[in-house]
Amino acid sequence: MSATHTPSAKTLQGRTAVVTGAGAGLGRAEALALAALGANVVVNDIGPAADDVAAEIKSLGTGAVAVTGDVGEWSMGDRLVEAAVESFGSLDIVVNNAGVLRDRMLFNLTESDWDDVLRIHLKGHAAVSRAAAVHWRAASKASGAPVYGRVVNTSSEAFLFGSPGQPNYSAAKAGITALTLATAQGLARYGVRANAICPRARTAMTAEAFGEGATAPGGLDIMAPERVATLVGHLASPAADEINGQVFVVYGDMVALLAPPTVEQKFTAADGTFTPAELDEQLTGYFRGRDPHRTYAAYGVAALDTTGTQQTR
């Protein structure tokens, strides 16, 4: 293995990263991991924890600046990009992590429960990604060559499973996955690579779901956010240049690459147009005998789920 790819190498030396929701939990672990690889970091969160993490990064000998504010505000994307360029001279990496939970069953869901989650998760990802895209496209056009750009978005297995108590969160994460794929296709020509992770990590947000930690070999909690952050560091690195438009499930000692959706079964009308009777025979007949509680998500990738929760932070 070359020195460039060794875990201890400063593979991001001279690069600048923006990490949202970086005041605690997974975002903090990601910001520290990028800093350990040599990156300067713009630390975003809504409160003073952003300053604390920025100070922690500086104590490690890497540049950092805190930008407090809500990524659900569209202008925050521009503020974060400007902070990166003005403070460190470039923007190279965006890690969209910020999010909130408003867990409700669908029949208990309020408008604010829906709006808050979609605004912070999906709109927040879009606001920062759009601002970064504007910057990278302009830089590429000015230089006449591709730039260095990495986007790592935070989706969730909930976008597949449809967590019953998280219809808002599940919908937001499905949107983030689609946004990631569109970003990957739309910005590849400019040198940008965009991928999504579906993480599980023990943080303050998921403490109730995951319970107490279990120490694994090496002394690190098997569900530690640092395990997720290692993958984020890799996806942000030059070594990941050939990885684009992919979705990964990551937790513990595992990284799983999700395949694109595939057609399971095709139904064709015998005379060119379906009749109700023929639909009943072909379509309903195909599902007859199945457990109605085993929905789309229960076949295939759901086998990865061993915790019963889709919360990711």
Side-chain angles (χ1 to χ4, degrees):
M1 181 180 292
S2 68
T4 302
H5 294 174
T6 57
S8 61
K10 297 289 186 177
T11 56
L12 298 179
Q13 192 74 47
R15 305 291 185 187
T16 301
V18 166
V19 183
T20 70
L26 185 56
R28 172 182 172 275
E30 291 166 338
L32 290 171
L34 295 173
L37 293 173
N40 302 306
V41 184
V42 177
V43 180
N44 164 256
D45 215 308
I46 58 173
D51 294 291
D52 296 338
V53 174
E56 188 175 1
I57 290 172
K58 289 178 183 178
S59 72
L60 301 176
T62 304
V65 61
V67 177
T68 57
D70 183 354
V71 291
E73 298 294 333
W74 195 252
S75 61
M76 180 54 67
D78 293 318
R79 281 186 58 195
L80 292 172
V81 171
E82 290 167 4
V85 175
E86 292 175 3
S87 299
F88 306 111
S90 70
L91 171 68
D92 307 286
I93 301 153
V94 168
V95 179
N96 284 307
N97 169 75
V100 296
L101 293 179
R102 300 287 186 268
D103 291 356
R104 302 284 188 275
M105 295 296 288
L106 184 58
F107 40 75
N108 290 325
L109 191 69
T110 68
E111 183 176 8
S112 62
D113 293 334
W114 176 267
D115 288 348
D116 287 349
V117 170
L118 270 290
R119 185 178 65 84
I120 302 300
H121 284 278
L122 183 54
K123 184 179 177 182
H125 273 63
V128 181
S129 296
R130 183 211 65 87
V134 170
H135 171 78
W136 284 324
R137 179 174 179 267
S140 177
K141 285 182 172 293
S143 67
V147 298
Y148 187 100
R150 298 287 188 269
V151 178
V152 182
N153 288 334
T154 308
S155 185
S156 168
E157 293 162 90
F159 95 88
L160 286 172
F161 300 137
S163 299
Q166 297 177 307
N168 45 4
Y169 180 82
S170 300
K173 292 307 187 181
I176 287 169
T177 302
L179 173 65
T180 305
L181 301 181
T183 302
Q185 294 187 65
L187 300 185
R189 72 185 73 177
Y190 305 114
V192 179
R193 305 293 179 256
N195 297 284
I197 60 170
C198 300
R200 298 184 202 165
R202 195 186 319 281
T203 67
M205 187 177 286
T206 61
E208 183 176 339
F210 291 132
E212 295 183 4
T215 302
L220 188 63
D221 178 2
I222 192 66
M223 298 299 288
E226 289 79 7
R227 293 178 179 272
V228 175
T230 301
L231 174 62
V232 172
H234 181 73
L235 293 175
S237 75
D241 191 58
E242 295 178 273
I243 306 174
N244 193 37
Q246 304 301 321
V247 181
F248 299 92
V249 176
V250 52
Y251 62 91
D253 59 358
M254 182 206 76
V255 175
L257 172 64
L258 297 187
T262 59
V263 175
E264 177 180 334
Q265 184 71 21
K266 182 179 178 180
F267 307 93
T268 305
D271 296 326
T273 302
F274 272 111
T275 64
E278 192 176 13
L279 278 175
D280 181 63
E281 178 184 356
Q282 288 199 48
L283 193 61
T284 304
Y286 182 75
F287 290 96
R288 191 166 289 125
R290 292 193 185 186
D291 180 354
H293 293 95
R294 279 182 63 81
T295 58
Y296 156 80
Y299 299 90
V301 71
L304 292 172
D305 184 34
T306 58
T307 65
T309 179
Q310 313 305 332
Q311 300 177 2
T312 62
R313 287 174 175 71

